[in-house]
Amino acid sequence: MESNENKGLGASPTQTVKEDAPPPVDERHDGTVTYGDGMDWWVALLVTLVSGVIYTMTAGRAAPFWDCGEFMACSYILGIPHPPGAALFVMLGRVVSILPFGDIALRLNLFSSYSSAIAIGFTALGLARVIRRLHGREKNFTDRMVVYGGTVVGALSAAFGSTYWFNAVEAEVYGLTLLLIAILIWLSLLWIERARTPEGNRILLLQTYLLFLGATNHMQSFLPVVPLFLLIFLIDRSRLRSPVFWIIFLLLTTVVHSTQFFLFGTPIACAVAFLISWLDASPDRKKIYALAGWFFFTAILGYTLYAYVPIRSANQPAIDENNPENWTNFKMFLERKQYSEKSMIELMFTRKGTWSNQFGDFHRIGFWYHLKNQWLPHSPAYLLVPLFSLFALWAMWKRDRKIGLYFLMSLLLFTVAMTLYLNFSDGTKGVKLEVRDRDYFYTPGYFLIAWLLGIGLSAFLSKLRYSRMAGRETAVQVIAILALVIPIRTASAHYFEHDRSRFFVAEDLAYNILAGLEENAILFTGGDNDTFPLWYMQEVRDFRKDVRIVNLSLINTPWYILQLKHREPMVPIPLQDEEIQNLRGYYNSDGTVTTIKDIVLPKIIRECIGKRPLYFAITVTTDDRHIVRDKLIQEGMVMKIDPSVDQESINVHAMEKNFGEGGYRFRGLADPTVYKDNDTVRLMTNYNACLYNLAQLFQRSGDKEKAKKYTDMIYSFPHDNLAGHRMLAILAEGDADWERALRHMERCYEIDPDDPLNIVKMADYLDVTGRKEEAIQTALLAREKFPDDRMVLGTLASVLRGSDREGELVDHLEQWVARHPDDERMKEALKTMRRLPAAVDSAP
C-alpha cells in the first residue's frame, strides 16, 4: 500500500489555485508524486468481494455449452484445446482442478469467476488513480465522494455488465484475459508517475512479461501494448531518439503477425543486446543495451509458456487438437491456420459483413446491438453509460491530454479496431451468419467503457464540486450515492440471465447422448456443442470412455483422422497414413464440393459396419447423415446405423426407456426459474423432436394416454421457438383440437412472419373452426405477402370455396396466370372456374 506522504498534487509554490477550480495536474515523473492512496486498496477489496460473492452465487456447477467443456477437459488432463491453445489457462486450470475441495466443474468455473473479481479490484485501483489526476487530492469528505463515487460505480458496472458477467461464471479464458488487461492498465498509470526512475523501467519490464504471458492465454491480453507505447511516446520522448527503442517495439510486436520471426528473432536480439552491453565501453550505452536485453528476455520468458504445447502434445493426451508436436504443426497452431490458410490480418481485408451491421444494431454480431444490453438494459437509460464515457474523454482532454490520449487509443483499439479485425459475418456477403452471439470478443471494449463511465461520473461530480452552485457539496454526495443505481439496476436486470448455478442442461445432454450407446461404440457428432460436453463427460466425469467420438467438423483435417486411426479407442480407417496426409477436398464438374469428410466418412462406416456399433448424434445435420438415411433407427438422442432396415424408423422401446424413469437426465429443464438462452432452446428442440415422434406414433395407434404423456413433456420442456410450436400444432391437429393448433400457429407467425407456411396454416385452422371470414382475410394477407407462392394460392382457393366470395377466385387465378404464363395447370383451373358460373346458370 502507498503511504500518504508526498501527496502534494496541487499547484507549485509559484502558482495560486482558485477555490472554485481543481488544482493543475503535476507533470513530474520522478517518483516523488503519487496519485494513489492507501484507502484505494480497501475500496478495491470491497468491489472485489462484492463481485466475487455474486459470481460465486451464480457460477455454474457443471459444464456449459460451447468451448467451456473443452477447456475443462483439457485443464483436467493437461490436453491441447483448439488453436491457439490457451496454455496459461490450461496450466492454471490444472492446478485448480486438483485442489481438494468441491466439484471439479465448480472449481474451474470459480477460477474464471475469481479472476474476473480480482480484475474488478485492479479496475478500482486504476480508476482512483485516474480520477485523482483529474480532480486533485481529496481535502474533505466531498472530495472523497468525487473520487470513490466514480471508482465504485465504474468498477461494479464493469463487473455486472452483461458480457463480462456471462464470461465470469463459466470456465472461459476471458476472465483471466481481463485480469491481465486490468493489471496492465493499472501498471501503466503507475508507470506515468515513475517514468524517469529505475522503478519505472522495472514496471515496463513487468508489463512486457505480462503482455507475453497473457498472449499465451488469449491474444486480447496483448492489445495494451499499443497504448503503452503511445504512453511512452507522450511521457518520455527521449526514448524515441534511440533506434534501440524502435527495434524493441517492432520486434516484439511481430508476435501478432509472424510467430516464426518472433520466436527466432527475439532470442537472437536478446543475446546480441546483452553481448553489446558487455562489450561496450560507454556506461550509458551499456545501460541502454542491457535494458533492451532485459525487455527481450522478459518477452521470451512470458511467451515460453507455449513450450507446454509441443511438449504435452508429444505425450499424446486424449485431446490433442492439431497435434502440434512438431515445428510445422506448432507454427500453424499458433497462427490459427486450422481456420484458414490466410492470417487473421489478411482475412480482415475481405469484409464478411457490412460495416453498419458489424458496428451497429444487428443481431449476434453488432457492437451496438450488444452494447445496448450491457448496462440498464431494456430502457433508454442505457445511453447514460456511453454519454458518461464520452464526457470522460472530454474531461481528460481538458485536464490531462496524455492520459486522455492513452484511454482514447485503448478505446479505439478495443472497439473499432477489434470490430474491424474480427470481421464477423452477417450473412450478406456469401458467408453464413455467425452461429452464436459474438459479444464475448467485445469484452475488452465494454470493460474499458465501464472504466470511462466511472471517470466520466467523477469528472461530472468534480465539475459540480467546483461550481458556484449553492449546496454543491450536498449535491455531489447525493448524486454519487444515486449513481450506484447504475450497477445495482444492472445487476438486478442480469441476475436471472447469468445465474448458472442450476444450469445442468449441457452436461445432461452429453450424458444422455452417451448413456444408451452399446459398448465400444463409434459416435459421430457435428460441432462444438455436441462434442465438447462429451469430451468433458469422458475426461472429467470418467463416463463412457469406451465410446469413440468422431467429430464431423474436425474430420476434414488429416491430423484428426490420423489420431482416430492410431489412438485409443482406435477407429479402423482403410487408408495409409501417407494417403491421409495427402487428402484434399475438390470441386466437382457440377460446381458442388467434395470435402475430406465426404471421402473419409463412408470409408469408416463401410469398414466398421457389423463390427462396431455406429451412431449419429441427433444433432448431426441430415446432410451429414444422407449416406445412411434409410438405415437409421432413432433411439433417443442418437440414431443407430442398422444395415438390416430399409427406411428410417424408431426404436420405441429404447425411446420410452430413455425418456422414462431412470433413463435420461433433465435437471432444471422443466424449471422456468432456470434461464435458457435461445441457443439452448434451439438445441433442446432435439428432445422435443424425439417426444413429438413418440407422441405422434401413439396418437396414430390410438393410444391417447401415451400420446398425451409425451405431448405434456414437450410442454414442460423449453418449446417457445418455431420448431416447438409447429410440432405442438401438428399434435393438436391430430387430436382435432383446432383452437390449440391455431394458438401455436399464431405464435409461429409471431416468431417468423416471413414463412408462408405459418400464415397458411393459420388460415386452414380458422376455416376448420368455422371462422370463414377470418380465414379468408388471413389467406388474402398471405396472398399479398407471398404473391408467387403456389401453396398460398391453394389455401386461398380452399377457404374461398363454399363462401359468398368464391367468385373472387377467378380474379386471383387470372393474376397468377398473368405472372406465371407457363403454368399450364393453373390455366386449366382458370378455364374451369370461368365455365363454372354458366354451368350453374343452366342448371335446373
Side-chain angles (χ1 to χ4, degrees), residues 365-651:
I365 68 166
F367 183 87
W368 190 264
Y369 172 80
H370 293 296
L371 176 69
K372 292 193 307 180
N373 190 49
Q374 296 303 309
W375 307 278
L376 305 172
H378 316 302
S379 165
Y382 79 88
L383 289 169
L384 283 173
V385 177
L387 288 174
F388 269 123
S389 300
L390 291 174
F391 186 72
L393 292 173
W394 178 84
M396 286 188 283
W397 183 257
K398 298 292 286 184
R399 288 284 297 144
D400 191 337
R401 291 190 179 182
K402 293 176 182 178
I403 202 72
L405 286 170
Y406 171 79
F407 274 96
L408 178 61
M409 172 61 76
S410 299
L411 181 67
L412 293 174
L413 190 67
F414 292 165
T415 57
V416 177
M418 182 62 67
T419 304
L420 291 172
Y421 176 75
L422 293 170
N423 191 18
F424 291 132
S425 57
D426 62 3
T428 66
K429 301 280 189 178
V431 183
K432 67 180 182 180
L433 175 66
E434 298 290 332
V435 297
R436 63 178 290 198
D437 285 342
R438 295 301 189 187
D439 56 313
Y440 53 94
F441 281 111
Y442 299 139
T443 311
Y446 298 145
F447 182 63
L448 193 69
I449 289 172
W451 276 67
L452 292 173
L453 163 65
I455 297 168
L457 173 62
S458 284
F460 174 76
L461 294 175
S462 180
K463 198 166 186 63
L464 187 62
R465 159 75 174 81
Y466 289 110
S467 71
R468 297 182 180 277
M469 185 184 78
R472 60 191 182 185
E473 296 201 1
T474 302
V476 166
Q477 296 169 22
V478 170
I479 293 172
I481 294 171
L482 289 177
L484 288 171
V485 168
I486 296 175
I488 292 171
R489 177 71 184 90
T490 298
S492 174
H494 290 315
Y495 192 94
F496 172 65
E497 180 180 339
H498 294 311
D499 181 7
R500 311 284 180 77
S501 61
R502 294 175 296 133
F503 185 87
F504 297 96
V505 176
E507 183 168 317
D508 285 351
L509 176 64
Y511 173 88
N512 296 341
I513 289 174
L514 291 171
L517 303 181
E518 293 181 30
E519 191 173 353
N520 297 319
I522 294 174
L523 172 68
F524 299 108
T525 59
D528 295 355
N529 274 335
D530 61 355
T531 300
F532 293 163
L534 301 180
W535 286 354
Y536 161 84
M537 288 300 297
Q538 289 185 319
E539 303 304 329
V540 178
R541 300 301 188 194
D542 198 26
F543 179 69
R544 294 308 306 268
K545 297 182 78 168
D546 61 298
V547 174
R548 181 49 148 167
I549 297 165
V550 178
N551 182 287
L552 296 180
S553 296
L554 294 177
I555 208 172
N556 281 303
T557 57
W559 64 265
Y560 183 67
I561 301 170
L562 289 169
Q563 288 186 3
L564 293 175
K565 181 180 178 183
H566 294 296
R567 298 191 187 183
E568 293 290 346
M570 292 185 288
V571 176
I573 298 177
L575 291 170
Q576 298 297 318
D577 289 1
E578 186 176 353
E579 292 179 280
I580 293 172
Q581 291 281 17
N582 293 325
L583 284 172
R584 298 292 184 274
Y586 55 87
Y587 286 96
N588 300 304
S589 57
D590 60 358
T592 59
V593 178
T594 295
T595 64
I596 295 176
K597 173 182 65 182
D598 298 327
I599 300 169
V600 175
L601 180 58
K603 293 181 183 294
I604 294 176
I605 292 174
R606 282 196 297 267
E607 186 72 16
C608 296
I609 201 77
K611 302 174 186 176
R612 298 268 294 275
L614 297 174
Y615 297 86
F616 281 97
I618 198 174
T619 49
V620 174
T621 64
T622 53
D623 287 343
D624 284 338
R625 302 197 305 254
H626 77 280
I627 58 174
V628 289
R629 61 181 177 275
D630 296 325
K631 304 293 182 182
L632 294 172
I633 302 177
Q634 186 174 9
E635 297 185 351
M637 299 308 291
V638 295
M639 306 183 82
K640 185 178 181 181
I641 302 176
D642 187 341
S644 67
V645 301
D646 295 322
Q647 64 179 9
E648 190 171 313
S649 57
I650 298 173
N651 185 334

Side-chain angles (χ1 to χ4, degrees), residues 339-376:
Y339 308 112
S340 174
E341 286 299 315
K342 296 180 179 179
S343 70
M344 292 287 287
I345 293 176
E346 291 176 288
L347 291 171
M348 179 178 71
F349 293 100
T350 304
R351 303 311 298 170
K352 295 189 291 183
T354 64
W355 288 17
S356 60
N357 286 343
Q358 291 176 338
F359 285 94
D361 192 12
F362 192 80
H363 67 293
R364 290 197 183 173
I365 68 166
F367 183 87
W368 190 264
Y369 172 80
H370 293 296
L371 176 69
K372 292 193 307 180
N373 190 49
Q374 296 303 309
W375 307 278
L376 305 172

Side-chain angles (χ1 to χ4, degrees), residues 71 81-92 173-174 176-181 184 206-225 252-257 259 262-263 298-309 330 333-336 421:
F71 284 135
H82 63 275
L88 178 61
F89 181 92
V90 169
M91 295 183 74
L92 292 176
V173 298
Y174 299 102
L176 189 56
T177 296
L178 270 296
L179 171 58
L180 290 167
I181 289 176
L184 286 164
L206 176 58
Q207 286 181 289
T208 303
Y209 173 74
L210 292 176
L211 283 165
F212 285 89
L213 181 68
T216 68
N217 179 66
H218 195 285
M219 279 305 294
Q220 284 185 341
S221 304
F222 193 73
L223 289 177
V225 70
L252 294 187
T253 53
T254 58
V255 72
V256 176
H257 56 84
T259 304
F262 171 79
L263 289 176
T298 52
I300 296 166
L301 187 64
Y303 206 69
T304 49
L305 195 70
Y306 258 140
Y308 155 82
V309 171
F330 180 52
F333 182 82
L334 294 184
E335 295 176 353
R336 298 164 58 89
Y421 176 75

Side-chain angles (χ1 to χ4, degrees), residues 51 129 139 143 271 281 304 424 431 506 520 614 638 762 778 793:
S51 55
R129 245 185 170 84
K139 306 180 189 67
D143 288 330
T304 49
F424 291 132
V431 183
N520 297 319
L614 297 174
V638 295
M762 284 170 58
T778 302
L793 183 62

Side-chain angles (χ1 to χ4, degrees), residues 12-44:
S12 64
T14 59
Q15 293 174 307
T16 302
V17 180
K18 297 179 181 179
E19 284 298 320
D20 59 351
V25 174
D26 195 308
E27 288 294 330
R28 287 177 293 170
H29 310 111
D30 58 4
T32 61
V33 174
T34 175
Y35 290 91
D37 189 280
M39 179 65 72
D40 295 355
W41 292 89
W42 292 105
V43 173

